[in-house]
Structure formats: C-alpha cells, structure tokens
C-alpha cells in the first residue's frame, strides 16, 4: 500500500492539537490533515479515563477543569459552549490547611477567571474541537499511534513519520508537534530511548531556527503529578458527597504534610462517584519512576510495570487522603496515573520559534510562552496563534 501523504500532520490530540485542527478548519482551510495520538482517544492531559469492563467508569484523570483569565477568550470556545461541549464549572472550591481545617478557596492560577469543564467529561473539550474540525473536512484521528522518529525529507519538502518499530506511518508536507515528548530528554530517561527525536531531526536538517527551537524545548523543566483515581463504593460515596466541596486545594503546609495538592470529587454515570487525588510536586518527584500500568501511553511506550512499587504509591496516597480528611475509601477501586510532565515551567518556547517555515514544522501546546502558559488556556491560545501563522503557508 502507498504511504499516506497529507498536507499537515499534527502529533498529539490534546487541547492544542485538536484546537489547531478546529482553528484551521474554522478559517476555511480544507487541505488534508491527520492527527496522530498515543492514547486511545483525544484529550491528552484533559482526557477522561474510561473502562472497557465498566461502562459507568469515567474519571477526569488530568485537568478536572480549565480557566480563562483574559479577554478576548480563545475564539474556539464560543462554538464549544453553544454546542454543549463545555459548561461552566459549578462545583464548590474549598481549601485545607495542615491542621485539617477546611477554608475558603485559595488564590490559584488554575482557578482564577472564568471556570469551565468539558461535558459530559473533560474529554468533551477535545471531542468537541475534533467535531468542529471534522464538520468542514475529513480530519482523521489516528489513535494508538506513537510517533517515534521524525525524518526530514530532502530539500525541506516535509517529513516522514515513523512508529515505534521503525515502520513509516505517513508523510506530510507540514508537521506540527503539540506535545513535548519528542523534543525533551525525558523520553530518554523515562523510556530508555537513545536519542531525542526532534534534536536528531534538527541536526539532520541543520536549519538554525529549528535548531534553536529544539534546544529551547529540550530545556523546559516540568512538574510531575502522581494521580490516584478512586472509584468509590456506594457505601463510602455517601459521606464524600456530603462534603461542601467538589475541588479541594491543599495549602502549602498541607501539601508538605500529606503529599497531596488537590482532590476532585466527580460524579460518574449511574449515580457512581469517583475521586482524583493529585499529588504534590514533591511527592511526584520522589516517585517519578512509578507508572500507572493501566495507562495506554505507558503500555505503548513499553514502560515496564512494577506492581509492587505501584501498589505502594497507591496505598501511600490513599492513606494520606484518609488521614487528611478523616473519611473512608473502603471498597474503592484504585488506579494510578502518573503524569511525568504535568505542568511545564516558565519560560517555555518563545512564540517566535513556534513556527520554522524553512523546515515546515510548527509547535503548539501549553509549553509555548504566552498568556495561559502551562494551562489549557495557553494550549488553546497557542493553537489559534499557530493556525493564523500557518494559513498563508500551507
Ligand atoms: C493532573 C493535572 C491537572 C491539571 N489541572 C489543570 C487545571 O486545573 N487547569 C488547567 O488549565 N490546566 C490544568 N492542567 C494542565 C492542562 O491539562 C494542560 O495545560 C493542557 O491539557 C495541555 O494541552 P496540550 O494539548 O498542550 O498538551 P497534551 O494534553 O499533553 O497533549 C499532547 C498530546 O500529544 C500526545 N503525544 C505526545 N507525543 C506523542 C507522540 N510521539 N506520538 C503520538 N502522540 C503523542 C500525547 O499523548 C498527548 O495526548 C493539569 C494537568 C494535569 C496533568
């Protein structure tokens, strides 16, 4: 079979990748576009974890909400809102101190401004963006596709993308990376890769702007988050539901004491409830090597499961949660989701380097410097900005 050739390939179907596809289609661009995504579906760090065995299980295991802090808001939100893909986040937010006392919400860059959530789950955000894109022109999502190598074609004519076993996935005239995995040395420490694919490709191309972008992306540090997902039994859910909060922020001292940063209480289907316990950055840094073995990304990337270490991390977060709140989690189904790069740290990739026209490659995502950096807002804004810059070229 001939290798598929598309005008634009977007690696990653999180808020930025899906946002870019939607923004290009909204602006009338009808070229061929494919998104490649490691995960089972769209969402990235705004995904909703579902279960093949339990139709009622659906937990937002990354961001439980997102916020827009400045006007004008990203244009994409209007259509998402009017079609019901996003709704206002209406859950009460409280805080906890190191003595276990509940208080008012704390000032926090993640909860200032207008608060939104995907509907019915957080993945509604990316599903909605894809639906907007697909309405205008075919925009396939190739899920379960890990891009492992980026091969520049001769004379800057575009790119060939290779999968994990070296097989060619597709060729594209233009390429956009919406995540930093292929650009950052964490792929070497986490998965034992011998190279950083973007750096290798940049060295092959030898084009100065791409070399500068690859170096800047490789230098971005990130905070990790070890998230415990609890699907509550009916008996223990009753006490949790009586809590005055749906999102609980731990203040700095409470984070230090319990190793927890935030907890969200989420309604699932058929009257079931779940909790997502986000660890503190310090806790996640201490347990960086411990993956959630049920994560499709970890499986596809060949991360070796360590059941004992995983069980210890799960038990530790569960114990600290019970100690902090004095509530039971007995009978809950427990899973771990480890986000190795949950929050990029400033300054990020300068927006001037987010498009390298001579190499036909661009970058979007929350790691691009600018308003909303490190948050969904930044991912969406970077996607819209890149769409504007790409349109006259592609
Ligand atoms: C626990 C947690 C809580 C958070 N809370 C908040 C919050 O309250 N508010 C807020 O605004 N933000 C929050 N965030 C941050 C927010 O989720 C991100 O800023 C946003 O989702 C980033 O979107 P993105 O598209 O830039 O990146 P991502 O969502 O990471 O998307 C990149 C995608 O690319 C895919 N990918 C990467 N490499 C490859 C490859 N080689 N081949 C194929 N696919 C690839 C990944 O699988 C991923 O789906 C939180 C994040 C986490 C982890």
């Amino acid at each position: 079979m001939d290798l598929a050739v598309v005008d634009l390939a977007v690696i990653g179907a999180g808020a930025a990748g899906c946002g870019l596809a939607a923004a290009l289609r909204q602006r009338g661009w009808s070229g061929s576009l494919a998104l490649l995504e490691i995960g089972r579906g769209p969402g990235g760090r705004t995904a909703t974890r579902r279960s093949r065995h339990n139709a009622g299980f659906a937990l937002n295991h990354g961001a439980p909400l997102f916020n827009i802090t400045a006007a004008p808001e990203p244009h994409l939100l209007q259509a998402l809102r009017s079609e019901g893909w996003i709704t206002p986040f209406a859950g009460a937010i409280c805080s906890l101190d190191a003595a276990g006392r509940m208080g008012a919400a704390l000032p926090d860059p993640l909860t200032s401004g207008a608060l939104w959530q995907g509907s019915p789950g957080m993945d509604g955000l990316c599903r909605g963006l894809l639906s907007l894109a697909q309405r205008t022109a075919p925009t396939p999502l190739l899920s379960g596709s890990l891009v492992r190598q980026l091969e520049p074609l001769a004379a800057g004519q575009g790119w060939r993308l290779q999968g994990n076993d070296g097989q060619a996935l597709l060729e594209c005239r233009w390429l956009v990376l919406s995540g930093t995995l292929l650009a950052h040395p964490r792929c070497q420490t986490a998965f034992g890769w011998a190279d950083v694919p973007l750096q290798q490709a940049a060295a092959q191309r030898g084009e100065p702007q791409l070399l500068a972008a690859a170096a800047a992306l490789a230098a971005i540090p990130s905070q990790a988050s070890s998230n415990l997902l609890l699907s509550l039994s009916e008996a223990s859910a009753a006490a949790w539901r009586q809590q005055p909060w749906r999102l609980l922020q731990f203040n700095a001292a409470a984070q230090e004491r319990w190793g927890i940063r935030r907890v969200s209480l989420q309604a699932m289907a058929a009257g079931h409830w779940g909790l997502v316990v986000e660890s503190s950055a310090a806790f996640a840094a201490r347990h960086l090597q411990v993956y959630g073995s049920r994560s499709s990304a970890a499986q596809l990337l060949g991360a070796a499961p360590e059941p004992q270490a995983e069980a210890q991390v799960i038990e530790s977060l569960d114990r600290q949660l019970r100690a902090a709140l004095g509530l039971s989690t007995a009978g809950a189904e427990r899973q771990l989701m480890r986000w190795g790069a949950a929050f990029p740290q400033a300054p990020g990739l300068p927006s001037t380097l987010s498009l390298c026209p001579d190499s036909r490659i661009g970058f979007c995502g929350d790691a691009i410097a600018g308003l909303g950096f490190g948050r969904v807002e930044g991912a969406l804004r970077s996607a819209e900005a890149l769409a504007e810059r790409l349109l006259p070229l592609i």
Side-chain angles (χ1 to χ4, degrees), residues 11-17 36-39 43-46 61-67 110 145-148 178-182 193 225 227 261-262 278 297 339 341-344 364-367 374-377 379:
I11 301 180
L36 298 103
E37 167 58 48
I38 304 173
R45 278 172 280 156
T46 56
H61 61 169
L65 78 168
F66 68 97
N67 59 335
L110 294 178
S145 299
L146 165 66
V147 179
R148 171 67 183 83
S178 76
T180 55
L181 178 70
L182 294 174
W193 292 0
S225 184
N227 287 9
R261 193 173 57 83
R262 253 185 353 181
E278 300 175 36
W339 297 99
F343 298 102
C364 60
D366 68 341
R375 295 184 286 113
V376 172
E377 179 176 10

